[in-house]
DNA sequence: TGTACATCAGTGAACGCGCGTTCACTGATGTAC
DNA sequence: TGTACATCAGTGAACGCGCGTTCACTGATGTAC
């Protein structure tokens, strides 16, 4: 067995991308950054050098695809926002459209699960200081989440459920409550499990939607 | 005017404490650390070297009073917890004891104001990763806050108010909601003012305490 | 009253570390003629 | 078909910075005799 180089240093080696496909490294960087953020937590765990180490490249190589660290973080965030939106959307569609309350619960459940499964990403998304020039209106992803919940609550009202708050306020109540609960879990993760979080949020939803149908 | 040394370099000079009063520097360090945390924000703003700079001493001098950075942070935290408890207690006592709902609102108002006035401290308190051996039961300061609110809600119930949740759950709902609201404000401070936060929390309290007395 | 010594408050200089970023480079692959 | 050159993917080494921490020290004030 003279020539079996591929298991020699499995992690160290990295064959460079073929001509004209340099863009692929950009994806690799984002993927590794995301994985790193999942394993550790907090924005401070996301460093240029750490990502380079994870990908198996030189730190300098990152600068061919991202102007600076802020741009790398922005890239990760953009990916995360899409993931969260997809998770909530998918959860809603898994519930029959007539079950309007079920769709509210499903979406908030997906939200909490995302936060619990990806603490580093969630903290980055929520704590990220935006110094950028205010992104265009509905580009603010949390605004989108709240609007999504508002629509879900409006559908509840239209279906005859009595809300104890107007749909827009109800959406904020539930979203803010969920965020608060999840943030507390993040600061002391071992104390409780996901079910307790889901329980809290479902209680909150029940508080906002007067218990029985009209 | 030959001898006016005191305005020469007002910030640089610092006369050492007299014999036997070395403990006073400990207080100075804590005070400066707290001020630093008020001006900047987040635990990462609190550095040994930064505090030393603020006090006007050498970094090494801090180690005569604190074993390491963690102990300094612990000192600041302890002070903060006392401040928060005092603020909530004071706010409660400023309201007549018969006004049980008013006391609920006053205490949560004080909580929110503390969080808004001291973002750095609040973030430190909430996000501080405890690696220490689990402090003794009720030493966990947030547990104390929740318990305080639970008692306030129990007094509401005893006074004849109908609660939509048991007092312990109501306390958690309101506390978690307030934390969520405040945390969101921290991540985007200029968007809103204190009144909006207080408004949200009062709405939440009204949601939990069924609107009119029995 | 004088003097040797202990105790005190606080320091200067250095250590090793990891970070973000820059810059001139290397070597492989394509293209023009 | 061969060769000079351009373009590409990616690198090695260094920069300056701020951090937490250590260690031998300095100089003033107290105490024992």
């Amino acid at each position: 067995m003279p020539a079996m180089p591929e298991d020699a240093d499995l992690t160290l080696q990295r064959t460079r991308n073929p001509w004209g496909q340099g863009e692929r490294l950009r994806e690799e960087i984002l993927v590794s950054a995301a994985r790193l953020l999942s394993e550790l937590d907090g924005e401070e765990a996301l460093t240029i050098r750490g990502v380079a180490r994870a990908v198996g490249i030189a730190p300098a190589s990152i600068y061919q695809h991202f102007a600076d660290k802020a741009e790398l973080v922005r890239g990760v965030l953009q990916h995360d926002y899409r993931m969260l939106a997809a998770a909530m959307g998918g959860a809603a569609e898994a519930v029959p459209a007539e079950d309007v309350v079920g769709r509210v619960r499903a979406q908030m459940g997906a939200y909490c699960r995302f936060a619990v499964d990806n603490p580093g990403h969630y903290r980055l998304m929520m704590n990220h200081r935006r110094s950028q020039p205010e992104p265009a209106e509905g580009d603010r992803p949390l605004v989108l989440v709240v609007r999504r919940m508002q629509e879900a609550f409006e559908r509840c009202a239209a279906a005859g459920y009595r809300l104890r708050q107007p749909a827009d306020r109800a959406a904020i109540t539930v979203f803010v409550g969920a965020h608060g609960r999840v943030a507390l879990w993040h600061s002391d993760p071992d104390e409780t499990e996901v079910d307790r979080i889901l329980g809290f949020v479902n209680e909150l939803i029940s508080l906002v939607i007067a218990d029985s149908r009209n």
Side-chain angles (χ1 to χ4, degrees), chain A:
Chain A
M1 277 191 185
M4 282 282 270
E6 75 266 24
D7 67 349
D9 37 12
L10 213 109
T11 55
L12 292 181
Q13 76 188 357
R14 204 197 88 93
T15 52
R16 74 167 58 189
N17 284 316
W19 228 80
Q21 309 207 4
E23 279 304 297
R24 268 160 52 171
L25 182 53
R26 192 192 145 90
E27 269 314 300
E28 289 185 61
I29 291 170
L30 283 176
V31 167
S32 279
R35 188 166 48 77
L36 221 67
L37 206 46
S38 290
E39 288 165 2
L40 313 168
D41 48 11
E43 182 167 6
E44 73 282 358
L46 196 59
T47 65
I48 291 274
R49 296 183 102 99
V51 172
R53 242 174 275 130
V55 184
I57 57 174
S61 305
I62 289 183
Y63 288 88
Q64 279 189 332
H65 299 277
F66 301 91
D68 53 18
K69 190 191 170 184
E71 197 172 303
L72 173 59
V73 169
R74 238 174 290 136
V76 173
L77 275 173
Q78 199 174 324
H79 179 256
D80 281 347
Y81 289 136
R82 272 200 276 260
M83 293 289 286
L84 175 59
M88 291 181 73
E93 281 172 23
V95 170
E98 322 87 70
D99 185 1
V100 283
V101 174
R103 285 201 156 185
V104 167
R105 295 195 193 280
Q107 289 192 85
M108 287 312 299
Y111 181 89
C112 293
R113 248 181 294 271
F114 178 91
V116 168
D117 291 343
N118 310 282
H121 292 271
Y122 188 81
R123 289 164 72 98
L124 180 63
M125 291 163 80
M126 301 306 281
N127 295 337
H128 184 239
R129 293 293 201 237
R130 46 182 130 287
S131 48
Q132 299 318 111
E134 198 66 24
E137 250 304 319
D139 213 27
R140 302 262 303 286
L142 298 184
V143 173
L144 292 183
V145 170
V146 172
R147 190 175 303 163
R148 182 191 273 282
M149 292 316 297
Q150 177 180 341
E151 286 162 7
F153 276 117
E154 277 164 356
R155 252 173 254 119
C156 290
Y161 284 92
R162 191 173 62 81
L163 304 183
R164 290 209 174 95
Q165 290 183 317
D168 58 334
R169 300 304 295 170
I172 290 177
T173 296
V174 170
F175 167 72
V176 168
H179 169 58
R181 186 60 242 259
V182 156
L184 284 175
W185 177 82
H186 281 156
S187 77
D188 196 4
D190 41 23
E191 180 218 328
T192 199
E193 328 84 45
V194 198
D195 290 342
R196 305 255 309 263
I197 296 178
L198 295 180
F200 173 83
V201 172
N202 276 324
E203 249 183 80
L204 201 51
I205 294 173
S206 299
L207 194 61
V208 160
I209 303 182
D211 3 47
S212 59
R213 203 197 266 251
N214 251 5

